[in-house]
Amino acid sequence: MSRTARLDIHLDPASTEPVFSQICAAVSADIAAGTLPAGTRLPPTRALATQLDIAVNTVAKAYRELEVEGYIEGRGRRGTFVRDQSGVAGEREVLRFVTTMHSLGMSLQDTLEMVRRAWP
């Protein structure tokens, strides 16, 4: 069983950057620096919220954003883990694109047709 990482996140209450964004920035920086290698289990949302003295929903929002960006993945009851970052830049952009198209109400068929027309 994987050991859960203890995240060293320092929030700036005076910052204009939202707290969830500060968490995203700290975690993604640690992943990029190799401090949080692939396969590392992140603390549960409640545990991190308690550690940072913030609302659970704020941590959950940060984790959702990090998952959409391809940095982490939820594995149900097993927890949330750092994803392997080798070769995921393209996948991260595809996830961002798909999320945007979905939020615009575009169907898969219409989106594929738009991509076909735009492809050089």
Side-chain angles (χ1 to χ4, degrees), residues 12-34:
D12 179 0
S15 174
T16 59
E17 185 176 17
V19 172
F20 85 93
S21 293
Q22 292 181 51
I23 295 168
C24 289
V27 172
S28 61
D30 283 350
I31 291 170

Side-chain angles (χ1 to χ4, degrees), residues 31-71:
I31 291 170
T35 308
L36 290 174
T40 301
R41 184 172 189 244
L42 299 181
T45 54
R46 288 187 194 282
L48 186 56
T50 299
Q51 175 190 328
L52 299 174
D53 195 26
I54 59 174
V56 173
N57 287 340
T58 303
V59 175
K61 184 174 183 177
Y63 277 16
R64 279 192 307 274
E65 182 68 23
L66 288 163
E67 190 163 13
V68 166
E69 292 178 4
Y71 288 103

